[in-house]
Amino acid sequence: MSVDTVSLAGWGRTAPTTALRFRPRTYEEAAAAVRGCGPRGSIARGLGRAHGDAAQNAGGSVLDMTALNRIRTVDAASGLVVCDAGVSLHRLMEVLLPLGWFVPVTPGTRHVTVGGAIGADIHGTNQHVSGSFSRHVRDVELLTADGAIHTVRPGTALFDATAGGMGLTGVILSATLQFHPVQTSLMWVDTERAVDLDDLMARLTASDHRYRYSAAWIDLLARGRATGRSVLTRGEHAPLHVLPARARRTPLTFRPGRLPAAPPFVPDGLLGRTSVALFNEFWYRRAPRFRTGELQRLTTFFHPLDGVPHWNRFYGRGGFLQYRFVVGHGQEQAIHRIVRRIAQRRCPSFLAVLKRFGDGDPGWLSFPIPGWALALDLPASLPGLARFLDGLDDEVAAAGGRVCLAEDSRLRPETLTAMYPRLPAFRALRAELDPNGAFRSDLSRRLAL
C-alpha cells in the first residue's frame, strides 16, 4: 500500500486541504489503514468528482480507493454485476455495454466510482423513473470502524444510512448492482424549446412520464418575459430497428469522443456575465424549436463535458460552486422566485439544469424528493456570493426542500438540520457505529454530521 501527503480539493477546486493519502490494493490493506487512521480520522475517496469537500480530510487521512477496481462477476443473462468500489462507471460501460447492459443511473459524468455513487446516492436524468443509484444496489460490503466487514442489504438501517451517507458509516469495498438492458449504444432523442419557466414546467408535468431520461438546460441570465427560457432534452435507449443498416452491424459499440484538455492555467473571469450571456444566446437559438427521433451517442446525451478533460479549470484559479437544490411538488412558486433572483442578480451560470423528480429512496441523507430540482454552477469569485446563496438556502428550507450534500461546500449546519429530517437518526447511528470518529471529512466537521 502506497502512502503520501497530498493537497486535495473537490471538483469545484474551492477549498483544498492536506491529508495523508493511503492507496490500498486489497481489502486487508484498507482495513489496516482504517485501524491506523489517527485522531483526525479517515474518509474514502474515488475519482474526486464531488464538487465540494466531502472527500477531503484536513490533517487526517484519505483512502484512495481507485486501485480496488476489479469487476468480479458479470451475469450476462440477468445483468447482475459484482464489482469493487473503485470501479468507475466508465469502466462498467466499457465491459457491460457490449453485452447489452447499461448502468442503471448515471450523473453528468461517467468518471465516478461505484463507491462514490453509493456514498452520494447519485441521481441522473432518469430519477423520475428509476430513482437514485441505491435503488439498484442489491448489497454492499462495508468496512466499519472496528475493522470488520459487513454485508449490508437494502431495508436495513445501516444500508439507509450508507446510501447517501457521504462515506461516514464506513468504507464501501464492493457492491452487487442490477443493470438495465439495452439493444444499442445510441439514444433516441427529442429536443424542444420552452419560451419561459411556466412553459417548461408545464411541458415536463404533461409528458415527462413518457420518457426514461429528461432534463432541461435553463438560461438563468434571461429576464422579463423570457425568464427561464429553456431547451428541453428527453430520450430513450434507441431500439435496434431505428438504427441505419450500417449501424446495426455493431449496435453496442462504445467509443467516447475526446477533445483536448483544458489548459492548466485559465485566467479568472473567462466565464463572466458577458461570455456566458453570449453562450446562452447561442445555445438557445441553435436548439431546434421541436425535433424528434434524433440518434445520439450515449456520451453526447449523458456526458458531453467528459469529452473535455479537466473542464473545471475554465473557472480559473478561484474555482466554482455548484448549487443544487430540490423543492417538492406544490412549491413551484419557490422555483420561480429563485430563478428570478438569480436572473436579477445576473449570475453567470452556463451549466444550469432543471429536472422533475419522482419518488425518493430511503437513504437518510439522500438528496431526491418528489418535486423540482435545479442545479447551477457559479464562479466562486463572484462578489457577495456566499450571502446570496445563504439567502437561497433559506428560501429552499422554507419551501421544505434541501440542497445536495455531494455538491456542497458552504452550507450552514443549522440550515442542514431544517432540510434533512432524518439527520438525528443518522448522527445517532454514527455515534453507535463509530464512537471514536474513525470516519471524518471536511464536510462532516463543517456540518457536524
Side-chain angles (χ1 to χ4, degrees):
M1 175 169 56
S2 65
V3 184
D4 60 355
T5 300
V6 64
S7 177
L8 295 170
W11 190 245
R13 305 172 73 207
T14 54
T17 56
T18 300
L20 195 64
R21 177 172 59 185
F22 292 86
R23 287 175 167 163
R25 293 162 297 182
T26 66
Y27 295 173
E28 292 76 18
E29 288 184 350
V34 168
R35 286 194 294 267
C37 64
R40 295 284 288 180
S42 186
I43 194 71
R45 181 182 176 97
L47 290 168
R49 290 304 181 105
H51 286 73
D53 54 3
Q56 300 169 219
N57 186 22
S61 62
V62 169
L63 271 64
D64 182 331
M65 300 295 290
T66 54
L68 288 167
N69 58 2
R70 290 169 294 179
I71 299 177
R72 294 176 171 268
T73 64
V74 174
D75 187 331
S78 68
L80 209 62
V81 178
V82 181
C83 63
D84 287 345
V87 175
S88 70
L89 300 192
H90 173 84
R91 180 59 182 153
L92 289 171
M93 292 178 196
E94 286 183 322
V95 173
L96 273 297
L97 256 177
L99 302 178
W101 298 97
F102 188 65
V103 291
V105 170
T106 177
T109 175
R110 61 187 180 276
H111 300 299
V112 175
T113 62
V114 167
I118 298 169
D121 202 13
I122 60 171
H123 66 274
T125 56
N126 61 340
Q127 196 285 330
H128 63 292
V129 172
S130 302
S132 302
F133 197 86
S134 65
R135 187 179 299 186
H136 310 275
V137 176
R138 297 294 173 260
D139 61 57
V140 300
E141 295 294 306
L142 185 72
L143 170 65
T144 51
D146 58 3
I149 297 175
H150 305 264
T151 300
V152 184
R153 295 186 173 87
T156 64
L158 185 52
F159 186 91
D160 291 346
T162 299
M166 307 312 297
L168 296 171
T169 61
V171 179
I172 297 169
L173 298 174
S174 69
T176 303
L177 311 173
Q178 178 64 61
F179 275 58
H180 175 70
V182 295
Q183 296 181 10
T184 75
S185 61
L186 294 174
M187 299 299 295
W188 205 8
V189 182
D190 294 350
T191 306
E192 56 192 290
R193 284 192 217 164
V195 298
D196 59 23
L197 190 56
D198 280 327
D199 184 26
L200 171 63
M201 297 177 85
R203 290 171 190 251
L204 285 166
T205 301
S207 57
D208 225 26
H209 62 281
R210 300 205 303 261
Y211 296 87
R212 177 171 291 273
Y213 303 98
S214 177
W217 167 87
I218 298 184
D219 181 359
L220 289 179
L221 287 175
R223 293 183 291 184
R225 289 188 296 177
T227 298
R229 67 177 181 175
S230 314
V231 178
L232 176 56
T233 305
R234 297 183 282 192
E236 301 280 352
H237 294 280
L240 186 62
H241 70 84
V242 305
L243 268 59
R246 180 177 297 180
R248 291 182 203 174
R249 299 172 192 166
T250 54
L252 292 165
T253 301
F254 180 57
R255 294 175 182 163
R258 188 179 177 92
L259 296 171
F265 302 103
V266 176
D268 292 335
L270 179 64
L271 296 180
R273 291 188 179 99
T274 300
S275 59
V276 172
L278 289 172
F279 170 85
N280 287 0
E281 185 68 27
F282 165 77
W283 195 256
Y284 181 76
R285 296 297 177 187
R286 74 178 290 275
R289 294 183 184 275
F290 187 79
R291 180 175 63 200
T292 62
E294 180 191 12
L295 289 173
Q296 291 184 7
R297 290 184 178 184
L298 281 168
T299 50
T300 301
F301 184 80
F302 289 111
H303 314 123
L305 287 175
D306 280 350
V308 184
H310 304 294
W311 63 262
N312 56 339
R313 295 173 180 168
F314 286 122
Y315 285 92
R317 291 172 299 176
F320 73 96
L321 298 176
Q322 179 164 103
Y323 190 71
R324 187 188 298 269
F325 71 91
V326 60
V327 296
H329 294 302
Q331 295 294 334
E332 287 76 10
Q333 286 307 309
I335 294 288
H336 278 271
R337 287 192 298 270
I338 290 172
V339 168
R340 283 197 299 269
R341 288 178 66 175
I342 295 168
Q344 289 165 2
R345 197 178 186 276
R346 309 294 289 161
C347 291
S349 175
F350 82 99
L351 292 176
V353 176
L354 183 75
K355 301 171 188 173
R356 188 171 184 268
F357 279 179
D359 290 341
D361 289 292
W364 292 348
L365 299 186
S366 291
F367 169 63
I369 58 173
W372 301 92
L374 178 63
L376 56 146
D377 291 348
L378 296 169
S381 58
L382 284 178
L385 181 60
R387 181 177 295 181
F388 177 71
L389 293 180
D390 285 346
L392 296 191
D393 290 343
D394 293 338
E395 182 101 34
V396 170
R402 58 184 56 166
V403 301
C404 182
L405 295 182
E407 319 298 352
D408 177 59
S409 59
R410 27 78 39 206
L411 186 67
R412 296 162 293 169
E414 62 272 18
T415 311
L416 174 75
T417 303
M419 292 178 171
Y420 284 88
R422 300 302 303 273
L423 184 59
F426 179 82
R427 285 172 170 156
L429 185 142
R430 278 248 298 149
E432 179 184 345
L433 276 180
D434 186 12
N436 297 318
F439 299 115
R440 301 183 191 181
S441 65
D442 291 354
L443 174 80
S444 73
R445 275 187 285 269
R446 176 168 56 84
L447 295 177
L449 291 174

